[in-house]
Amino acid sequence: MTTYGKITGTGSYLPPRRVTNDDMVAMLAALGVETSDEWIRTRSGIHARHYVDEGELASGLGEKAARSALEMAKLDANDIDLILVATTTPDFIGGFPSTACVIQRKLGMAGCAAMDVQAVCCGFVYALSAADAFIRAGVHKNILVIGTEVYSRIIDFRDRTTSVLFGDGAGAVVVSASREPGILATGMHADGRHGDILYLDARLGHGGIEGNGYLHMDGTAVFKHAVTLMDKVGLEVLEKAGMAANDVDWLIPHQANVRIMQSSARKMRIPNENVIVTVDAHGNTSSASIPLALDTGVRDGRIRQGNHILMVAIGGGLTWGAVLSRM
């Protein structure tokens, strides 16, 4: 009998500090940078985003999202036998101890495996795909998959083309072994030849940081690849599952830019009304964006038991992937 990885709980967390476009305009003006609410909205669809306060780290956001997902799944933290954390903004430079291990400690757990996954904005899709593979192989039974980011720490507020786009937040799911169909198909890809279109120019060197530590993005190139690759990988996993676009109840794309999301939906022939959109309220939260949108849809009642959810993402690296899941 087939064993599936099934999403049994979702959770999310946004730091309380909400920054509207008008707040951004005032913040950037103080730095001598001109922008406007209209400029931000028309290019990205973003109205607001959330930022952490001093001392808040990716692990703290991830812990809160994880507790919410565990509660929905009706599981105790000690029922989890693997933690996968997708993050580009780990608690520690160099990535160790891993943010997954820090979250494990904060949840009061010990003993189960815990590791970080780095695929930038595609990180949650990669981690969810890995969780499904572990469960199908019979290696694990209950896996906590978390996407958590504090991008406000790595954006250059003097660059209006990137500073207005990103926000902080976390989303989580519990994936459990099930005899009922859950995750039906996954697809993951990468092309390191395009690593220079989205990257962080910082390296450890002799006790210090080499580079400036700010995110760099070629927006035009990212847009071009996103509208080419997200629909292709979405259709790829649908074909693997023997399904068509009209079988999809909800499309949850990476919440980077509403124009990219609409273009991907149009190419896959999925109506805009079947797309979960949270980028307007959250901004681009990188690996946290899909689980944040998923939890939003579950908790507001749009996503129901039995619905087919298609999650697609693209991120730096270049990485891209998709997961088709029956809720």
Side-chain angles (χ1 to χ4, degrees):
M1 188 177 292
T2 302
T3 298
Y4 296 91
K6 190 172 181 66
I7 295 173
T8 57
T10 66
S12 60
Y13 178 77
L14 293 164
R17 183 155 66 104
R18 182 173 180 268
V19 180
T20 66
N21 285 350
D22 288 337
D23 294 330
M24 286 295 299
V25 170
M27 186 188 309
L28 298 188
L31 298 173
V33 179
E34 284 190 20
T35 191
S36 68
D37 170 61
E38 181 184 12
W39 190 90
I40 298 168
R41 282 188 293 103
T42 56
R43 284 162 177 76
S44 67
I46 297 169
H47 296 201
R49 73 288 291 150
H50 291 252
Y51 287 162
V52 294
D53 288 322
E54 193 66 31
E56 287 187 286
L57 300 172
S59 64
L61 276 58
E63 176 206 357
K64 293 180 175 67
R67 289 189 184 278
S68 181
L70 286 165
E71 182 180 7
M72 183 183 288
K74 296 185 170 72
L75 292 178
D76 182 80
N78 290 313
D79 294 321
I80 298 297
D81 50 19
L82 174 64
I83 301 172
L84 298 174
V85 174
T87 185
T88 310
T89 52
D91 284 13
F92 297 99
I93 294 175
F96 64 93
S98 69
T99 303
C101 283
V102 178
I103 291 175
Q104 182 191 51
R105 184 183 72 233
K106 289 183 175 183
L107 290 171
M109 305 163 59
C112 77
M115 61 183 175
D116 289 356
V117 177
Q118 167 57 298
V120 198
C121 301
C122 197
F124 179 78
V125 165
Y126 266 47
L128 189 56
S129 300
D132 178 58
F134 277 125
I135 286 177
R136 285 177 180 266
V139 179
H140 296 285
K141 292 183 178 179
N142 294 302
I143 302 177
L144 191 55
V145 183
I146 304 166
T148 181
E149 302 285 9
V150 286
Y151 260 64
S152 59
R153 300 262 167 79
I154 62 169
I155 53 178
D156 183 355
F157 286 98
R158 296 164 298 180
D159 177 8
R160 75 167 183 169
T161 63
T162 58
S163 62
V164 300
L165 300 178
F166 294 92
D168 304 335
V173 299
V174 174
V175 184
S176 298
S178 173
R179 296 301 183 188
E180 296 180 3
I183 295 174
L184 303 174
T186 66
M188 296 186 293
H189 301 277
D191 188 344
R193 295 174 299 176
H194 302 294
D196 59 349
I197 68 173
L198 179 58
Y199 65 98
L200 183 68
D201 184 22
R203 297 162 299 281
L204 290 173
H206 308 291
I209 298 177
E210 299 174 352
N212 65 21
Y214 287 132
L215 174 151
H216 295 269
M217 181 173 72
D218 181 340
T220 300
V222 170
F223 188 96
K224 177 183 175 182
H225 285 292
V227 299
T228 301
L229 296 173
M230 290 218 306
D231 66 286
K232 284 185 178 179
V233 74
L235 294 173
E236 172 193 322
V237 298
L238 284 170
E239 183 177 357
K240 283 182 180 179
M243 298 175 66
N246 59 11
D247 295 314
V248 174
D249 295 292
W250 295 103
L251 172 67
I252 305 181
H254 167 49
Q255 310 282 311
N257 179 306
V258 72
R259 291 185 298 158
I260 293 174
M261 295 159 64
Q262 290 173 346
S263 174
S264 297
R266 183 170 59 252
K267 286 186 173 184
M268 285 187 280
R269 299 187 178 180
I270 296 174
N272 283 334
E273 55 265 30
N274 293 88
V275 182
I276 301 286
V277 177
T278 57
V279 68
D280 55 336
H282 300 166
N284 181 346
T285 55
S286 189
S287 69
S289 79
I290 286 179
L292 271 166
L294 176 63
D295 187 53
T296 297
V298 168
R299 292 182 186 272
D300 67 20
R302 280 178 290 176
I303 296 176
R304 301 177 182 180
Q305 188 173 359
N307 280 176
H308 290 102
I309 313 300
L310 179 60
M311 295 167 269
V312 295
I314 187 169
L318 194 68
T319 57
W320 64 100
V323 174
L324 176 66
S325 181
R326 186 174 188 271
M327 299 298 289

